[in-house]
Amino acid sequence: MKEGPDISHIAALIGDPARANILTALMDGRALTASELAEEAGVGLSTASGHLSKLAEAELIAPRKSGRHKYFNLADAEVAGVLEALMGLAARKGATRVRTGPKDAQMQVARVCYNHLAGRMGVQMYRSMIGRGLLVEDGEDVALTGAGRDFVTGFGIDVAGLEAGRALVCRTCLDWSERRNHLAGSLGRAMLTRMEDQGWMRRDPKSRAILVMEKGKAAFAAAFPET
Amino acid sequence: MKEGPDISHIAALIGDPARANILTALMDGRALTASELAEEAGVGLSTASGHLSKLAEAELIAPRKSGRHKYFNLADAEVAGVLEALMGLAARKGATRVRTGPKDAQMQVARVCYNHLAGRMGVQMYRSMIGRGLLVEDGEDVALTGAGRDFVTGFGIDVAGLEAGRALVCRTCLDWSERRNHLAGSLGRAMLTRMEDQGWMRRDPKSRAILVMEKGKAAFAAAFPET
DNA sequence: GGAATGCTTCGGCTACGGTCAAACTATGAA
DNA sequence: TTCATAGTTTGACCGTAGCCGAAGCATTCC
């Protein structure tokens, strides 16, 4: 009974509906202000402020002050991963949130997870790169091979620049809808950004869904064929 | 705000201290009765009964009636995985539960996770088998290679028997103390059982810790060398 | 400077949910 | 049949924690 870390405190934090809404809203990796999060959570500003300080205290989210605004981010990818895992558990009991609109279908296809591509397309990209020897898995970790560096560089990404940063370049993240890994880390983020820049896809500003352009579909399928 | 599965309900279930104790107690994979779990949780029997029906309702645990007893198990390995992940989050804030005794040190070395070997030795076994080409990872999944089947059979395990069962043979589970994968699934369980049968290790009946015998240390190091 | 905006703190209200004891059901033992 | 043990249900109690509005800081804009 007295073994291992105390789960209950952190789970209770996630367990409040307002706080869960806040965390879910932050899952797309964008930084949001306290007011925006209050709106998302459906509570008053003062209430949200209390929630936010608790979440920050537990280091689930990271606050940053900027002028008279205060921005919040998820603390890191591990937190995002735990949230995805919880969604996985919740999803199997049909506990999806209320109405499933057209957006929900698109969310299965492509969505933002923290800051990288998730959903069927995220998984396809990951598996394609593994299958072609561009990425190699080692336990929980994943790394670029030599061929992978060339490929990614050709894709228009400055690998050396990523490696100079503090963030982990390659990282896996478990996709809750597909139940498979997809690519996270600074490379995952860069790949998504690059595809947006090229006009392959575009983020829905009101949700985590990603809209894929016609030309993007073809280009993506060519770049990341199923193996 | 209205996207994706509803996390808060399931997190709130885990977030109550009594229920968290119950779930933690079930992490070693043994089935426990309602009375035993009440004891573990530190609440009265009637209170525990209420908690247990809620957990069962959410399919986090699976009840089985046997005579006038009612046994409870974790629902499956995915639930165990989420709990381990939450422990990982909790652990990094030094939120380990109260006193860290000698048992806690041993827990880092070897412990039971659901029903398989976890901790440093669990991770070492997994990585050794990957490194020698006995196991191969494919995304989130992991599988035995031909050489792996031979090795495991030579270890004294009836692979065909495992495959006949309903449970997934190979499965990964993220180790909260090591932050790496270890081997779960029915093979993971069989490996641990086999090592116990051979007298390499023995479970501490009062905790999740696994005691490693002297001869077990040498035999384990020989069977699963670091690569 | 003064006004407006963004956030925090405080006080008070409320309700949800955890708790237990006691009554009740069900299974097994004598 | 009767008693004992295991678990569930009910009802009453109580505390915690979420909620809001109002007042208080802090920062920026005019």
Side-chain angles (χ1 to χ4, degrees), chain A residues 174-223:
Chain A
L174 183 58
D175 198 288
W176 68 259
S177 57
E178 295 296 308
R179 304 300 183 92
R180 300 196 160 277
N181 278 338
H182 57 240
L183 182 66
S186 63
L187 177 60
R189 165 189 226 128
M191 295 287 284
L192 175 56
T193 305
R194 181 76 182 131
M195 290 189 277
E196 290 178 275
D197 290 348
Q198 290 186 286
W200 291 11
M201 38 190 79
R202 189 174 303 160
R203 299 195 194 187
D204 177 346
K206 301 297 287 178
S207 81
R208 293 170 60 198
I210 294 180
L211 308 171
V212 185
M213 309 292 105
E214 267 313 315
K215 74 168 186 181
K217 286 180 190 171
F220 184 91

Side-chain angles (χ1 to χ4, degrees), chain A residues 33-35 45-46 49 68 70:
Chain A
T33 66
S35 315
L45 181 54
S46 62
S49 177
R68 60 182 164 183
K70 195 164 177 184

Side-chain angles (χ1 to χ4, degrees), chain A residues 76-164:
Chain A
D76 58 34
E78 184 178 356
V79 173
V82 169
L83 295 178
E84 282 265 329
L86 279 169
M87 287 185 191
L89 270 196
R92 40 180 217 185
K93 279 235 51 178
T96 63
R97 195 118 70 175
V98 283
R99 63 212 174 146
T100 85
K103 262 185 195 164
D104 289 21
Q106 186 54 35
M107 292 256 299
Q108 309 270 328
V109 175
R111 67 177 178 277
V112 177
C113 170
Y114 197 40
N115 51 31
H116 51 267
L117 179 63
R120 276 208 289 285
M121 292 181 71
V123 170
Q124 179 178 336
M125 179 174 92
Y126 183 78
R127 293 177 70 81
S128 175
M129 291 180 73
I130 293 279
R132 291 158 64 202
L134 306 178
L135 285 175
V136 58
E137 293 178 318
D138 170 27
E140 152 93 332
D141 303 326
V142 64
L144 270 179
T145 61
R149 290 181 63 96
D150 295 344
F151 174 85
V152 169
T153 304
F155 202 70
I157 286 173
D158 172 17
V159 182
L162 296 182
E163 284 165 349

Side-chain angles (χ1 to χ4, degrees), chain B residues 28-90:
Chain B
D28 66 359
R30 282 178 307 176
L32 297 177
T33 66
S35 314
E36 290 168 328
L37 289 169
E39 168 83 7
E40 287 285 342
V43 296
L45 180 54
S46 62
T47 304
S49 177
H51 286 317
L52 290 168
S53 50
K54 283 177 191 169
L55 291 172
E57 159 67 16
E59 293 179 14
L60 290 177
I61 62 176
R64 265 182 310 158
K65 294 193 70 163
S66 167
R68 59 181 163 180
H69 292 274
K70 195 164 175 183
Y71 287 95
F72 293 88
N73 267 309
L74 283 192
D76 58 35
E78 185 178 356
V79 173
V82 169
L83 295 178
E84 282 265 328
L86 280 169
M87 287 185 192
L89 271 195

